[in-house]
Each structure stands twice: as C-alpha cells, then as structure tokens.
Amino acid sequence: VGTLSICIVFFPVALLSGVAKFLFTPLAFAVVYAMLTSYLLSRTLVTTMAHHLLASESEEHEGPGRWDRFVHGFNARFNRFRDRYRELLAMFIAWRAFGLGCAALMVVASLALVMVTGEDFFPTVDAGMMRLHVKMPSGTRIEHTEYIVNRLEKDIRSVVPPAEIQGISDNIGLPISYDLAYYQTDSTGPQDADVLIQLKPKHQPTAMYEDKIRGLLARDFPQVTGYFQAADIVSQVLNFGLPAQIDTQISGNNLQTDYKLASRLKQRMALIPGLVDVRIAEPLDYPAFQVNVDRDRALELGVTESDVASSMLTSLSGNSLLQPDYWLDPVSGVNYTVVSQSPQHFIDSVAALENIPILGSGSSAPSATGTRPSVTPPSVSAPADAVTPPSEVLGNVATVEHDVDPSVIAHYTVQRVMDVNGAVSGRDLGSVSNAVQREINHLGKLPPGTQITIRGQSQAMKESFGTLELGILLAILLVYLLMAANFQSWLEPLIIMMAVPGALAGVLWMLVITRTTINVESLMGAIMAIGVAVANGNLLITFANELREEGYGPVEAAIEAGRIRLRPILMTALAMILGMLPMALALGEGAELNAPLGRAVIGGLIAATGMTLFVVPAVYSIFSRTLKGKKERDQEIEAVSMPGA
C-alpha cells in the first residue's frame, strides 16, 4: 500500500501540458517504475539474501571483530535514542490537546509563507550568456548603428572583465528573409542590432552584469533603447517564442488608440519594482514616404495604382519579389537569378524618387527570355523593346510626402495586437505578473472591442500551477480511497493523512530558508514528499493495528508502534534526504534548475517525519477506541457475504 501510495501521488503529472509535461513525465515514470521494481526485489531477492547472508542471533563468534563492535555500539546508542523518543511521545500523547493544537497552529501559520515565497514558472539558471537587443531611433542608417554598437561593445568589455568574456558577436540590421524562420529577433530595420555575449565557465553572476550594462546604456547612450532577451535555449523555450517573460498584448480596432493605451500602460509598468526593460514592441514612428496617386492623371497615361506600386517595388527592391528572372547557363545548365534594381545611391532625394519610371497595364518587367513585352499607352504605338516614355514617371502621376509608419504589425490568432514587453529581475514572476494585472485594472474602462491579455511565462505558470494543485488534490483523494479499501475504514486513512499538511508546511519553510520560489520543480518535490509521508504513516498505523489485535490499549499501541517503527521510518526519510542533498546544494553547472525539487523534498520529509512520529500516534490514540479490529471487520464481512452461516 505504501508503494502504491507513492506511485499514485505522481498522478498530477498526467494533467500537465506544454513544456512542463515533457520535462516531468519521464521523471514520474522513472519513480513509478523504480518503486514497483524495488517492491518486487524487496519481497524476493532481499529476503533470500537476508536468509543466507545474515548470521542468526544464536550463532556464536570466536571473537567480536571491529565491525561487530561498531554495530553493537550503534545499536546501543540507537536503543537509548529510541527509549528517549518513547518518553517524549508518551508526554506528547499525555498533553495531546495542547500538542495537537500547537501543531495545527504551526501548519495554519505556515500558509502565510505562500505570500513570502513567491512564484516562478521554472527556477532561473545562470547559463553564462547575455543577449542584448539594441534599438536606435527609427530610420537610423546601418552604418551609424554599426558605429554605436562598436562603442557599446568597448564599454561592455570595460564592465565585464576580459578574463570572463569568451566572445561577443553582433548581428546588425534585418536578417535575410529566409533566416527569420531560424533566428528569433526583434529587429525590424537597419536601426536594430543583437549583441550576444558569451561568458567563460567561471564568471560572476550574469544578472549582476546585466544590471551594470543597463546603467551604462542609460548613462552613456541616452538615444539608444536596449533590453535583454532570453539567451540560452532553456529560457527561450520557457518563453514560448515570445520576446519577454511578460508580454502584455493589447488588441483593438484602432491602431492609434491601441498605441496610446500601450503608452499609458508602459508608463505604469515602468514603476513596478522588479520589472525591467519595459518597451513597446511595435513603434509607430518609422520614417516613410506617402505616395498619393492622382487616379485621373494616371488613367490618362494608362496606368493604375497597382502599376505604380509594382513599378516602385521593382525599382527599389528588385524584380525578384514580383516577377523573378532567370538566366540559364548553356554550358552548365544552372539557373541564375537575374535581379534588376535601381542603384541605391541614385535614389538620394525625393526628386530622384519621383523620377522612377512607371510601366502601364500593357507593360511588365523583363520576362524569363530576356525580352520585354510592349508598352502601349493610349493612342501611342511603341515597339516591343520600347523604353518607358519620359512622361510616365512617378512624379507625373503622384505626389510624395514625408510620413511615418508602424515598424512592424504583430498578430495573435489573426487579431492585430500591440505588445508591451518586460523582463523580471530581482523579484519573482508571480508577484510581478499580479502587479501588472493591477495596473491593467487601473486603466479604467477600455474602448469598445479592446482587451488586454498577459501572455508569456506568467500565463503558462498559472495554467501549470492550477493543473498541479488540482492534480495534488486528486492524488490525495486517490491515496485516501486506496488506504480506505485496504484498512476497510474511513477513519484510519484520515489519521495517516495528518502528515500531509505537515509535509506541505515543511516544503514552504525550506523554500523560505533557502530563498527558493514556488515553481514546477518545487511542486514536484512536494508531491514526492507527500508520497513518502503517507507510506511512513501507513507503516506506523498498520503495526499499531496489529498490536491492538494482540490486546494492547489505544495509547499503548500508539506508543509501542512509534517506538518499534522508529528505525524504518527514520531510515526511509534519511535515505530520501541524503539522496536529495546533492541536488538541493545545486552542485554542478546548471544544477539550479533541479535544486528546488531537492529542497522541497528535504523540507517536506523533515516536517512530515515529525508529524508521523508524534501527531499521527496522538490522533490514533484519540480515535482508536472507536475503531474496530481487523478480525472484527473480517467477521462482519463474512457475515454479510454468508448470511446463512
């Protein structure tokens, strides 16, 4: 029953989804398979080896060896410790009303630690990498962006000691279109750059260097907007492809209204302690030219707005976007792309822009054969290789004005959104996310059709925590029903479950002492601690029932069961605690990820063992008078199943 109880408490893992499911399903299966295998071995191989290898007590030795002296000395000391425990347990049961009241008060008071501990989706891991995104004022040429990034890189090398820097790489401007599928970036133009800083294995905390670089940017580069993004693969996966831990999305019907709302929210979010790198991901100030086509004039010349747009796109970006041309090498048979485009240094003024030739509806870009179809404006006949008449230029059919446009337009499930992003530093994700939600509520009534949603790690954290909390309750219920079927009683399993609140309180205390947050890892550790606590309680109550069958009274059975079962209960708890100790100490590179699991198990088992050794026997001594013995229950079952007997 104890083995099955430990296996059942991992039921919540089946309810997880997303990244947490793939991370912890193997852990749950490994524990369950190991428990079932150890159960089979303990009932077969261990008993056989004990029979053949352990010397019987009646066997006489020629002389006590060093190992025998150690064993006898240890047993003598442990017997004295067990007798002392028996005295303390008898005293606790004698004052059980006071003792149980203090235990209940401690458990209830421990619930307040939830507000102190904080919540994170996963523990932070120092991967020794920093990814700084640098954004110059919109429209900055790539040459100037490169100059600023070079200056910034020199300053970074003055902040981070050269002995700790392994390398710095810069990606300036917008990547090639097909690279965007493999390279996640916030770059929208030549004013953007990504600076990736790789530290050596032995380095000071990365978060400290990030704070120093933020101060450096604010002091020496006021015109530059810089913020850090997830650099290592684990953090990027946990962000679910989003550029920040907290992504506040505003979706509405009007772009300008949404931007004003995003600006107000950004100002409020910037005042939240622990929230850094707050920015609007979709600025609306990218320099642009507004081309207003005079349709009447264009129709007189035989062109349409589509012709104007196609001709400008072909001239400024190349014909490969609309009508790619290829040249076939007759020798090798290889196709080569032929791109026709106006030289960029020719388009250096609005006047040059207005001189872009416009092809009418009867014209097109050069075809794959290298010839150009005829251009036939109204009442004009032109040969097949005719050049665009001087009158068919952009300035004759349109006017060009300075304007600004959005740098990028983002969508989520088809709906256009405006993102206000931020990162968490020096504070837990849960409290920062709650603070952001309060600021959203303080914005007042939103325009019709507008809604604000927090996405990113905080959303996944709340979903996973809700699933785990529900799963833990279901697991406790299943364990209770399993023990109720085994004990044929509803009360005895409830007595065993008295150790569960103590285990949860111990988890909270250990997290607070070690300054660890509540996360998926620590919740998994709490589940493991609950399983072991239930197994130890089941061990004690089962033996107490056997003593009751032998004629012991409730109090005597509880005290004697605690004294005799002290050794296996302590061995089970200590074996688990010692096994988790290296994990809890976060020894090794990247060990911070699993440290909360080990700490939660250790804290939960320390408190649960104390509850099992004192609270469970005390409660058993109270209610055991109303419990029927196993023989009596078996007789009742036989009487019901065989009424004629």
Side-chain angles (χ1 to χ4, degrees), residues 92 95-105 614-616 618-619 622:
F92 187 87
W95 296 85
R96 53 195 172 198
F98 176 77
L100 293 177
C102 292
L105 183 62
F614 289 95
V615 174
V616 172
V619 176
I622 296 175

Side-chain angles (χ1 to χ4, degrees), residues 288-293 312 349-356 394-395 397-403:
F289 289 108
Q290 180 71 31
V291 179
N292 301 311
V293 178
M312 291 187 64
S349 64
V350 175
L353 191 65
E354 292 177 343
N355 283 330
I356 292 178
L394 180 63
V397 296
T399 58
V400 181
E401 300 175 353
H402 288 277
D403 199 358

